[in-house]
Amino acid sequence: MLILSVVGARPNFMKMAPIILELKNLNMHNMLIHTGQHYDWNMSEVFFKDLSIKKPDIFLNVGSSSHSVQTADVMVKFEKICVKHKPKLIIVAGDVNSTLACALVAAKMCIPLAHVESGLRSFDNKMPEEINRILTDRISDLLFVTEKSGIDNLITEGFSREKIHFVGNSMIDSLVTHLDKAIQLKPWQKFDLEINTYCLITMHRPSNVDNDEALKNIISMLNNLSKKIPVIFPVHPRTRNNLKKLSLEVNNNVIIADPMSYLVFIGLLAKARIVITDSGGIQEETTFLGIQCITFRENTERPVTINEGTNHLVGVNVDSVLKKINDVLNGETKKGNVPEKWDGNSSKRISNIIARFLK
Ligand code: UD1
């Protein structure tokens, strides 16, 4: 009864780590496959250390390329693994290219497929992630949903209720497990910051950072904001490459950092005054932590963070974003609640359902 769990890019690691541990607790035979979509030490290996997960059993080493080449490379290499090991189930998580690539291999080889973080929809087909989500869900047998909007989306798309399992958020399981340790590390001290007084920003969506004008506007927004509050900006490789290309510079009050380890990042996140991001996962983590989050996007596939959490969806007009940030800094904050089933036990629910499915 071999299971293959797939990871490939940074956000996969925290979603899959607690599931791997729970499958082990149930004595299930699980092999971890890393596609190599992310490969830098600080985009990949460091998370294995922080999350205490075993090293991947197999590393496919696909690296970076165009979306089609990357997806195809993963498919060719992953199919060979499936032919050799004949798994009874494949587990994929999230919405990155590796997710869809391995899902397609599963479907073509008639291997049952489980999708962790199913049903999320931004309704924006220009996002590569939206295509990856829709197609992966379509061919999955077990749909593990993090928030209720996911159930509604899947029902609207015609999925039968039996396939849909509202389990909560396994990425929040990782946060629950590691938060205390992360805070004890006091990562803000390393950057000469004080708790609850700084702004943490991340930005890596192609729509924000691959467009020269958009990226220039973001940097000018940061320079402007940093006159009021210290800003710390761990820079994703995609963003770093584009900043370099455009020779864009930031003020002294903006701290530019390399991509951070999981513990350093969630420690900084937990004690930020305000967070600005275009990431999906960070919208959820800030909601769990009750930290005000400014989402620099026109849409979100995670509406629970807006309706129940501390997330503010503000669009990408720099003037209106700056105004919203000022309002929030002046006390117009959202109270927010932790969404249903984001309780640290999602991976237990997922592994129990998998165990029943494989019986
Ligand atoms: C991918 C995911 C995105 C996710 C993000 C998290 C897709 C379509 N996108 O985007 O959903 O939010 O990961 O980080 O799957 N690079 C490095 N080192 C690395 C990895 C990448 O330098 O370890 C550079 C390369 O120049 C590469 C670029 O970053 O071309 C982008 O990497 P890629 O994996 O293609 O997409 P991300 O922007 O990371």
Side-chain angles (χ1 to χ4, degrees), residues 255-278:
I255 304 165
I256 295 283
D258 285 332
M260 291 169 174
S261 76
Y262 182 62
L263 292 178
V264 168
F265 186 77
I266 62 171
L268 277 174
L269 195 66
K271 297 295 175 189
R273 171 90 188 273
I274 190 166
V275 171
I276 307 172
T277 194
D278 61 2

PDB file of all heavy atoms in Angstrom, residues 255-278:
ATOM      1  N   ILE A 255      14.814  47.045   5.036  1.00  0.00           N
ATOM      2  CA  ILE A 255      15.827  45.985   5.162  1.00  0.00           C
ATOM      3  C   ILE A 255      15.547  44.931   4.096  1.00  0.00           C
ATOM      4  O   ILE A 255      14.484  44.302   4.114  1.00  0.00           O
ATOM      5  CB  ILE A 255      15.774  45.333   6.556  1.00  0.00           C
ATOM      6  CG1 ILE A 255      15.944  46.395   7.635  1.00  0.00           C
ATOM      7  CG2 ILE A 255      16.808  44.225   6.679  1.00  0.00           C
ATOM      8  CD1 ILE A 255      15.536  45.907   9.025  1.00  0.00           C
ATOM      9  N   ILE A 256      16.503  44.778   3.196  1.00  0.00           N
ATOM     10  CA  ILE A 256      16.379  43.742   2.165  1.00  0.00           C
ATOM     11  C   ILE A 256      17.065  42.475   2.688  1.00  0.00           C
ATOM     12  O   ILE A 256      18.206  42.543   3.146  1.00  0.00           O
ATOM     13  CB  ILE A 256      17.063  44.209   0.860  1.00  0.00           C
ATOM     14  CG1 ILE A 256      16.331  45.420   0.267  1.00  0.00           C
ATOM     15  CG2 ILE A 256      17.206  43.088  -0.143  1.00  0.00           C
ATOM     16  CD1 ILE A 256      15.038  45.088  -0.444  1.00  0.00           C
ATOM     17  N   ALA A 257      16.350  41.360   2.641  1.00  0.00           N
ATOM     18  CA  ALA A 257      16.939  40.111   3.158  1.00  0.00           C
ATOM     19  C   ALA A 257      16.775  39.003   2.126  1.00  0.00           C
ATOM     20  O   ALA A 257      15.929  39.087   1.241  1.00  0.00           O
ATOM     21  CB  ALA A 257      16.244  39.718   4.458  1.00  0.00           C
ATOM     22  N   ASP A 258      17.581  37.956   2.293  1.00  0.00           N
ATOM     23  CA  ASP A 258      17.422  36.764   1.450  1.00  0.00           C
ATOM     24  C   ASP A 258      16.171  36.017   1.888  1.00  0.00           C
ATOM     25  O   ASP A 258      15.654  36.258   2.990  1.00  0.00           O
ATOM     26  CB  ASP A 258      18.642  35.853   1.636  1.00  0.00           C
ATOM     27  CG  ASP A 258      19.854  36.409   0.909  1.00  0.00           C
ATOM     28  OD1 ASP A 258      19.651  37.123  -0.101  1.00  0.00           O
ATOM     29  OD2 ASP A 258      20.987  36.156   1.363  1.00  0.00           O
ATOM     30  N   PRO A 259      15.694  35.071   1.059  1.00  0.00           N
ATOM     31  CA  PRO A 259      14.563  34.235   1.510  1.00  0.00           C
ATOM     32  C   PRO A 259      14.896  33.602   2.860  1.00  0.00           C
ATOM     33  O   PRO A 259      16.042  33.231   3.116  1.00  0.00           O
ATOM     34  CB  PRO A 259      14.462  33.162   0.414  1.00  0.00           C
ATOM     35  CG  PRO A 259      15.031  33.807  -0.797  1.00  0.00           C
ATOM     36  CD  PRO A 259      16.140  34.695  -0.289  1.00  0.00           C
ATOM     37  N   MET A 260      13.897  33.532   3.738  1.00  0.00           N
ATOM     38  CA  MET A 260      14.171  33.135   5.127  1.00  0.00           C
ATOM     39  C   MET A 260      13.781  31.690   5.396  1.00  0.00           C
ATOM     40  O   MET A 260      12.903  31.148   4.722  1.00  0.00           O
ATOM     41  CB  MET A 260      13.353  34.036   6.057  1.00  0.00           C
ATOM     42  CG  MET A 260      13.867  35.438   6.048  1.00  0.00           C
ATOM     43  SD  MET A 260      12.719  36.541   6.880  1.00  0.00           S
ATOM     44  CE  MET A 260      13.700  38.037   6.850  1.00  0.00           C
ATOM     45  N   SER A 261      14.367  31.140   6.434  1.00  0.00           N
ATOM     46  CA  SER A 261      13.955  29.808   6.871  1.00  0.00           C
ATOM     47  C   SER A 261      12.532  29.920   7.423  1.00  0.00           C
ATOM     48  O   SER A 261      12.045  31.016   7.713  1.00  0.00           O
ATOM     49  CB  SER A 261      14.907  29.308   7.959  1.00  0.00           C
ATOM     50  OG  SER A 261      14.606  29.973   9.175  1.00  0.00           O
ATOM     51  N   TYR A 262      11.882  28.786   7.581  1.00  0.00           N
ATOM     52  CA  TYR A 262      10.491  28.781   8.065  1.00  0.00           C
ATOM     53  C   TYR A 262      10.398  29.392   9.461  1.00  0.00           C
ATOM     54  O   TYR A 262       9.554  30.259   9.720  1.00  0.00           O
ATOM     55  CB  TYR A 262       9.979  27.335   8.072  1.00  0.00           C
ATOM     56  CG  TYR A 262       8.542  27.205   8.511  1.00  0.00           C
ATOM     57  CD1 TYR A 262       7.516  27.803   7.785  1.00  0.00           C
ATOM     58  CD2 TYR A 262       8.202  26.480   9.654  1.00  0.00           C
ATOM     59  CE1 TYR A 262       6.187  27.681   8.180  1.00  0.00           C
ATOM     60  CE2 TYR A 262       6.883  26.348  10.053  1.00  0.00           C
ATOM     61  CZ  TYR A 262       5.880  26.951   9.310  1.00  0.00           C
ATOM     62  OH  TYR A 262       4.571  26.833   9.718  1.00  0.00           O
ATOM     63  N   LEU A 263      11.294  28.993  10.360  1.00  0.00           N
ATOM     64  CA  LEU A 263      11.190  29.471  11.750  1.00  0.00           C
ATOM     65  C   LEU A 263      11.450  30.972  11.839  1.00  0.00           C
ATOM     66  O   LEU A 263      10.739  31.694  12.552  1.00  0.00           O
ATOM     67  CB  LEU A 263      12.173  28.714  12.654  1.00  0.00           C
ATOM     68  CG  LEU A 263      11.853  27.234  12.867  1.00  0.00           C
ATOM     69  CD1 LEU A 263      12.914  26.576  13.740  1.00  0.00           C
ATOM     70  CD2 LEU A 263      10.473  27.042  13.493  1.00  0.00           C
ATOM     71  N   VAL A 264      12.444  31.455  11.117  1.00  0.00           N
ATOM     72  CA  VAL A 264      12.734  32.897  11.140  1.00  0.00           C
ATOM     73  C   VAL A 264      11.532  33.659  10.592  1.00  0.00           C
ATOM     74  O   VAL A 264      11.077  34.655  11.158  1.00  0.00           O
ATOM     75  CB  VAL A 264      14.016  33.203  10.318  1.00  0.00           C
ATOM     76  CG1 VAL A 264      14.165  34.695  10.078  1.00  0.00           C
ATOM     77  CG2 VAL A 264      15.239  32.665  11.050  1.00  0.00           C
ATOM     78  N   PHE A 265      10.977  33.145   9.493  1.00  0.00           N
ATOM     79  CA  PHE A 265       9.879  33.879   8.859  1.00  0.00           C
ATOM     80  C   PHE A 265       8.637  33.916   9.752  1.00  0.00           C
ATOM     81  O   PHE A 265       8.048  34.984   9.970  1.00  0.00           O
ATOM     82  CB  PHE A 265       9.539  33.286   7.483  1.00  0.00           C
ATOM     83  CG  PHE A 265       8.526  34.132   6.775  1.00  0.00           C
ATOM     84  CD1 PHE A 265       8.905  35.324   6.169  1.00  0.00           C
ATOM     85  CD2 PHE A 265       7.178  33.785   6.755  1.00  0.00           C
ATOM     86  CE1 PHE A 265       7.963  36.152   5.552  1.00  0.00           C
ATOM     87  CE2 PHE A 265       6.242  34.604   6.141  1.00  0.00           C
ATOM     88  CZ  PHE A 265       6.634  35.781   5.536  1.00  0.00           C
ATOM     89  N   ILE A 266       8.227  32.756  10.305  1.00  0.00           N
ATOM     90  CA  ILE A 266       6.980  32.806  11.099  1.00  0.00           C
ATOM     91  C   ILE A 266       7.194  33.543  12.427  1.00  0.00           C
ATOM     92  O   ILE A 266       6.270  34.151  12.956  1.00  0.00           O
ATOM     93  CB  ILE A 266       6.300  31.421  11.293  1.00  0.00           C
ATOM     94  CG1 ILE A 266       7.192  30.448  12.055  1.00  0.00           C
ATOM     95  CG2 ILE A 266       5.807  30.851   9.985  1.00  0.00           C
ATOM     96  CD1 ILE A 266       6.454  29.170  12.451  1.00  0.00           C
ATOM     97  N   GLY A 267       8.433  33.529  12.921  1.00  0.00           N
ATOM     98  CA  GLY A 267       8.724  34.336  14.111  1.00  0.00           C
ATOM     99  C   GLY A 267       8.546  35.816  13.803  1.00  0.00           C
ATOM    100  O   GLY A 267       7.902  36.559  14.563  1.00  0.00           O
ATOM    101  N   LEU A 268       9.073  36.261  12.663  1.00  0.00           N
ATOM    102  CA  LEU A 268       8.919  37.672  12.265  1.00  0.00           C
ATOM    103  C   LEU A 268       7.453  38.011  11.996  1.00  0.00           C
ATOM    104  O   LEU A 268       6.964  39.091  12.343  1.00  0.00           O
ATOM    105  CB  LEU A 268       9.726  37.954  10.997  1.00  0.00           C
ATOM    106  CG  LEU A 268      11.209  38.243  11.172  1.00  0.00           C
ATOM    107  CD1 LEU A 268      11.881  38.342   9.810  1.00  0.00           C
ATOM    108  CD2 LEU A 268      11.434  39.541  11.948  1.00  0.00           C
ATOM    109  N   LEU A 269       6.762  37.068  11.371  1.00  0.00           N
ATOM    110  CA  LEU A 269       5.345  37.275  11.017  1.00  0.00           C
ATOM    111  C   LEU A 269       4.499  37.467  12.276  1.00  0.00           C
ATOM    112  O   LEU A 269       3.657  38.367  12.351  1.00  0.00           O
ATOM    113  CB  LEU A 269       4.877  36.035  10.251  1.00  0.00           C
ATOM    114  CG  LEU A 269       3.579  36.080   9.467  1.00  0.00           C
ATOM    115  CD1 LEU A 269       3.699  37.052   8.301  1.00  0.00           C
ATOM    116  CD2 LEU A 269       3.242  34.687   8.911  1.00  0.00           C
ATOM    117  N   ALA A 270       4.767  36.634  13.255  1.00  0.00           N
ATOM    118  CA  ALA A 270       3.948  36.637  14.472  1.00  0.00           C
ATOM    119  C   ALA A 270       4.055  37.953  15.237  1.00  0.00           C
ATOM    120  O   ALA A 270       3.146  38.318  15.984  1.00  0.00           O
ATOM    121  CB  ALA A 270       4.366  35.476  15.371  1.00  0.00           C
ATOM    122  N   LYS A 271       5.167  38.668  15.066  1.00  0.00           N
ATOM    123  CA  LYS A 271       5.381  39.887  15.854  1.00  0.00           C
ATOM    124  C   LYS A 271       5.418  41.155  14.990  1.00  0.00           C
ATOM    125  O   LYS A 271       5.890  42.207  15.427  1.00  0.00           O
ATOM    126  CB  LYS A 271       6.694  39.776  16.649  1.00  0.00           C
ATOM    127  CG  LYS A 271       6.690  38.653  17.680  1.00  0.00           C
ATOM    128  CD  LYS A 271       5.663  38.918  18.775  1.00  0.00           C
ATOM    129  CE  LYS A 271       5.569  37.749  19.743  1.00  0.00           C
ATOM    130  NZ  LYS A 271       4.435  37.891  20.682  1.00  0.00           N
ATOM    131  N   ALA A 272       4.914  41.032  13.746  1.00  0.00           N
ATOM    132  CA  ALA A 272       4.878  42.212  12.872  1.00  0.00           C
ATOM    133  C   ALA A 272       3.710  43.113  13.275  1.00  0.00           C
ATOM    134  O   ALA A 272       2.686  42.646  13.778  1.00  0.00           O
ATOM    135  CB  ALA A 272       4.726  41.783  11.423  1.00  0.00           C
ATOM    136  N   ARG A 273       3.873  44.417  13.035  1.00  0.00           N
ATOM    137  CA  ARG A 273       2.749  45.344  13.246  1.00  0.00           C
ATOM    138  C   ARG A 273       1.761  45.196  12.096  1.00  0.00           C
ATOM    139  O   ARG A 273       0.536  45.213  12.269  1.00  0.00           O
ATOM    140  CB  ARG A 273       3.318  46.774  13.302  1.00  0.00           C
ATOM    141  CG  ARG A 273       2.312  47.894  13.296  1.00  0.00           C
ATOM    142  CD  ARG A 273       1.905  48.260  14.713  1.00  0.00           C
ATOM    143  NE  ARG A 273       0.816  49.199  14.741  1.00  0.00           N
ATOM    144  CZ  ARG A 273       0.946  50.512  14.689  1.00  0.00           C
ATOM    145  NH1 ARG A 273       2.148  51.054  14.640  1.00  0.00           N
ATOM    146  NH2 ARG A 273      -0.116  51.301  14.705  1.00  0.00           N
ATOM    147  N   ILE A 274       2.321  45.026  10.889  1.00  0.00           N
ATOM    148  CA  ILE A 274       1.492  44.917   9.686  1.00  0.00           C
ATOM    149  C   ILE A 274       2.277  44.117   8.649  1.00  0.00           C
ATOM    150  O   ILE A 274       3.514  44.153   8.641  1.00  0.00           O
ATOM    151  CB  ILE A 274       1.107  46.331   9.180  1.00  0.00           C
ATOM    152  CG1 ILE A 274       0.053  46.268   8.086  1.00  0.00           C
ATOM    153  CG2 ILE A 274       2.325  47.114   8.681  1.00  0.00           C
ATOM    154  CD1 ILE A 274      -0.596  47.636   7.804  1.00  0.00           C
ATOM    155  N   VAL A 275       1.537  43.398   7.812  1.00  0.00           N
ATOM    156  CA  VAL A 275       2.168  42.573   6.775  1.00  0.00           C
ATOM    157  C   VAL A 275       1.577  42.976   5.425  1.00  0.00           C
ATOM    158  O   VAL A 275       0.379  43.229   5.321  1.00  0.00           O
ATOM    159  CB  VAL A 275       1.894  41.075   7.065  1.00  0.00           C
ATOM    160  CG1 VAL A 275       2.337  40.192   5.906  1.00  0.00           C
ATOM    161  CG2 VAL A 275       2.596  40.650   8.354  1.00  0.00           C
ATOM    162  N   ILE A 276       2.447  43.088   4.424  1.00  0.00           N
ATOM    163  CA  ILE A 276       1.979  43.342   3.056  1.00  0.00           C
ATOM    164  C   ILE A 276       2.435  42.168   2.210  1.00  0.00           C
ATOM    165  O   ILE A 276       3.611  41.790   2.265  1.00  0.00           O
ATOM    166  CB  ILE A 276       2.582  44.648   2.484  1.00  0.00           C
ATOM    167  CG1 ILE A 276       2.325  45.821   3.427  1.00  0.00           C
ATOM    168  CG2 ILE A 276       2.021  44.940   1.095  1.00  0.00           C
ATOM    169  CD1 ILE A 276       3.050  47.101   3.022  1.00  0.00           C
ATOM    170  N   THR A 277       1.530  41.601   1.420  1.00  0.00           N
ATOM    171  CA  THR A 277       1.920  40.392   0.686  1.00  0.00           C
ATOM    172  C   THR A 277       1.078  40.186  -0.557  1.00  0.00           C
ATOM    173  O   THR A 277      -0.035  40.724  -0.659  1.00  0.00           O
ATOM    174  CB  THR A 277       1.799  39.155   1.609  1.00  0.00           C
ATOM    175  OG1 THR A 277       2.473  38.064   1.018  1.00  0.00           O
ATOM    176  CG2 THR A 277       0.354  38.783   1.872  1.00  0.00           C
ATOM    177  N   ASP A 278       1.606  39.375  -1.484  1.00  0.00           N
ATOM    178  CA  ASP A 278       0.765  38.861  -2.562  1.00  0.00           C
ATOM    179  C   ASP A 278       0.746  37.336  -2.523  1.00  0.00           C
ATOM    180  O   ASP A 278       0.318  36.683  -3.464  1.00  0.00           O
ATOM    181  CB  ASP A 278       1.232  39.394  -3.929  1.00  0.00           C
ATOM    182  CG  ASP A 278       2.666  38.981  -4.278  1.00  0.00           C
ATOM    183  OD1 ASP A 278       3.304  38.256  -3.496  1.00  0.00           O
ATOM    184  OD2 ASP A 278       3.126  39.396  -5.357  1.00  0.00           O
TER     185      ASP A 278
END
